[in-house]
Amino acid sequence: MGPRVDDVDAITTGKASEQGFTIKLPLKRVTFFFGPASCKFTRESVDWQTSEETIAILDAGISALVRSSDVVMGRKNTAISLHLQPKSLPFIALLTPFIAPQLAALDSEPVSTMATVAKWAHRRVTIDGSAVIANAVFLRFEREFPSAATFGEIAGQLRKDEEDLFKLLSVEEDQG
């Protein structure tokens, strides 16, 4: 089922680059924002089992935009955010390897939480204690792709990024 008229909102405030319109697909938890400087796709509560559906929705929205305008796709920026809640140890145990000993030595009390942000030319990783979920780690990984990258290629790289970060943190996804 496509969007209804009430699922479309005009954004007329802010700078010209922030204005545009949003289209929501509430049943799929999807929001598209289309503006003069960029477009943004957001889908909440997804997993890798829904990646093909997510790609199909994204492709349909972008294809419609390209067909109905003179838009040329630029670089594609992605971000995945998630929370990891360990079952058998405190979350700080996952963060401890990232605490610089010099920083931890500033106080005799143990560090209760921390954050690490690593940024490269086309990639960024944030590892943080969650401010939303008790005993959890917040993980955000972002990557920029060339305009020619397909959504399938992007999904494959993001899946690999997630697997690499899980290995780095010594965690496994609970399949149950």
Side-chain angles (χ1 to χ4, degrees):
M1 181 170 143
R4 300 173 320 212
V5 69
D6 289 337
D7 296 328
V8 179
D9 292 315
I11 312 295
T12 58
T13 58
K15 298 183 273 184
S17 62
E18 298 168 343
Q19 297 182 26
F21 63 96
T22 60
I23 299 174
K24 296 177 185 164
L25 302 174
L27 295 177
K28 298 295 181 181
R29 301 182 80 165
V30 166
T31 303
F32 278 101
F33 168 77
F34 298 100
S38 66
C39 63
K40 180 178 180 181
F41 173 84
T42 305
R43 187 166 192 195
E44 296 178 25
S45 299
V46 295
D47 55 30
W48 291 110
Q49 288 72 35
T50 60
S51 65
E52 287 185 25
E53 179 186 58
T54 302
I55 290 169
I57 294 168
L58 175 58
D59 190 45
I62 297 298
S63 296
L65 176 66
V66 170
R67 277 193 317 270
S68 64
S69 67
D70 290 330
V71 169
V72 176
M73 291 296 295
R75 297 188 69 76
K76 297 170 182 157
N77 296 302
T78 62
I80 293 181
S81 299
L82 53 100
H83 290 86
L84 306 171
Q85 190 174 42
K87 290 185 172 185
S88 60
L89 64 149
F91 80 98
I92 193 68
L94 299 177
L95 300 176
T96 299
F98 303 98
I99 301 172
Q102 305 91 325
L103 192 59
L106 289 176
D107 198 301
S108 61
E109 293 287 323
V111 174
S112 59
T113 192
M114 60 80 55
T116 296
V117 178
K119 187 172 185 322
W120 299 264
H122 302 287
R123 183 178 184 191
R124 180 177 163 147
V125 173
T126 302
I127 302 170
D128 193 0
S130 174
V132 177
I133 298 176
N135 194 45
V137 171
F138 172 75
L139 182 62
R140 180 177 173 97
F141 48 105
E142 305 167 51
R143 192 180 276 273
E144 184 180 281
F145 294 89
S147 61
T150 68
F151 296 127
E153 292 168 342
I154 291 170
Q157 180 62 59
L158 294 175
R159 178 64 189 237
K160 182 181 178 322
D161 289 349
E162 181 183 86
E163 290 169 353
D164 291 346
L165 288 167
F166 282 8
K167 282 182 197 168
L168 180 71
L169 291 165
S170 301
V171 297
E172 293 180 11
E173 188 172 7
D174 183 6
Q175 301 298 322

